[in-house]
Amino acid sequence: MKSDFLKISKTKLKSRLIVGTGKYKSFKETANAIKASGADMITVAVRRVNIVDKRKPMLTDYLNQKKIKLLPNTAGCYTSDEALRTLRLAREMGGWKLVKLEVLGDKKTLYPNMMETILSTKILVKEGFKVMVYCTDDPSLAKKLEDCGASAIMPLASPIGSGLGFQNTENISLIIKQAKVPVIVDAGIGTASDATIAMELGCDGVLINSAIANAKKPILMARAFKDAVISGRNAFLAGRMKKNIFASPSSPLKGLI
Amino acid sequence: MAKIQLNGKKITIKLKFTIMDLLIKYNLDKKKIAVEYNGTIIPKSEYKKKYLKNNDSLEIVHFIGGG
């Protein structure tokens, strides 16, 4: 299906799987996992350079940026000011306009602070950024973000890094039904089947980090997610059969001996 | 000599030192970093023109792995 790409603002992606690059054992493992996942967009964080060890390699040394798009993220920011500062620096680094906004509200659950998130979205949109926004699964807040000019809505399935999978698929469905921009499930996916569920619900994409990086064999899990996302997308496009509480025989009754 | 704050650490630099000189000193590729000088983001085109002075505060950031 060559025409089935994911379009976020003006950026076209071949893969509907976006992967995070945190928690890996090495940059080499990160690069191999990205390759196995088939993702053409990855999230990255903005942090201070190491001025003590000048020879230390950088993540970007391991990536072919002609093939892989970097999506700067504001992970770890708890206020609008911190998030804005981070993304403005990211833009200066390489001219990125497409960014991921994440303003956290609570250290234990890493739930987003939606007041600060909405405020930041408005400012970033005004400054010309294309903002993909991490948010709760509240449909009214998702709508509000879209009204503020968000380029993609990124509701959580469950808390970041929890691996709990979906806690409220109905809310995700409500968000998908009303959204005119891509809906990408951002957090809480635990294993491949969760990603398939997301795609079957009609999500436009999924973002996975911990479920791949924390697997016993991250590279193999990256491949599993690649397949899971493709399967779920195909199942969604194919349209599932109707559920029925009674049985329906698969073989014709005519000609029964 | 001038004393400046770089990424939260106090360092001493020579006089007439620019941001570009600092990047060379720390072996940093300007394409891979961004610089905040006393709270203001400096465009890459100005790295060679911006001279550092006593008590300046700089943040140099790059991309690392993250979710």
Side-chain angles (χ1 to χ4, degrees), chain A residues 207-242:
Chain A
L207 197 163
I208 316 281
N209 190 351
S210 305
I212 297 176
N214 288 347
K216 281 195 186 110
K217 295 178 180 173
I219 316 300
L220 186 57
M221 190 56 97
R223 207 195 308 160
F225 269 105
K226 178 187 180 179
D227 295 340
V229 169
I230 293 170
S231 286
R233 177 65 180 172
N234 285 343
F236 170 74
L237 293 174
R240 63 154 295 145
M241 65 169 282
K242 283 215 168 63

Side-chain angles (χ1 to χ4, degrees), chain A residues 130-151:
Chain A
K130 306 292 175 197
V131 201
M132 299 167 68
V133 194
Y134 167 61
C135 59
T136 55
D137 61 8
D138 179 329
S140 72
L141 290 174
K143 182 76 174 59
K144 177 81 185 158
L145 286 174
E146 204 175 329
D147 293 344
C148 291
S151 293

Side-chain angles (χ1 to χ4, degrees), chain B residues 7 9 11 21 27-29 39 42 53 62:
Chain B
N7 287 359
K9 275 199 163 66
I11 62 156
D21 294 328
N27 199 23
L28 296 165
D29 180 350
I42 304 295
K53 57 184 191 309
H62 68 150

Side-chain angles (χ1 to χ4, degrees), chain A residues 130-177:
Chain A
K130 306 292 175 197
V131 201
M132 299 167 68
V133 194
Y134 167 61
C135 59
T136 55
D137 61 8
D138 179 329
S140 72
L141 290 174
K143 182 76 174 59
K144 177 81 185 158
L145 286 174
E146 204 175 329
D147 293 344
C148 291
S151 293
I153 307 293
M154 305 184 81
L156 50 82
S158 51
I160 295 173
S162 70
L164 287 172
F166 281 98
Q167 292 180 315
N168 195 339
T169 48
E170 283 72 18
N171 269 23
I172 302 290
S173 291
L174 288 173
I175 291 172
I176 293 165
K177 282 209 167 69

Side-chain angles (χ1 to χ4, degrees), chain B residues 18-54:
Chain B
T18 64
I19 290 177
M20 195 62 215
D21 294 328
L22 197 68
L23 297 183
I24 293 164
K25 178 179 158 77
Y26 286 100
N27 199 23
L28 296 165
D29 180 350
K30 75 169 186 177
K31 284 183 219 138
K32 292 179 181 170
I33 54 102
V35 179
E36 193 186 72
Y37 170 81
N38 295 336
T40 308
I41 295 169
I42 304 295
K44 288 182 200 289
S45 56
E46 286 178 29
Y47 290 171
K48 279 184 185 165
K49 297 177 213 160
K50 198 87 194 166
Y51 287 93
L52 302 173
K53 57 184 191 309
N54 223 10

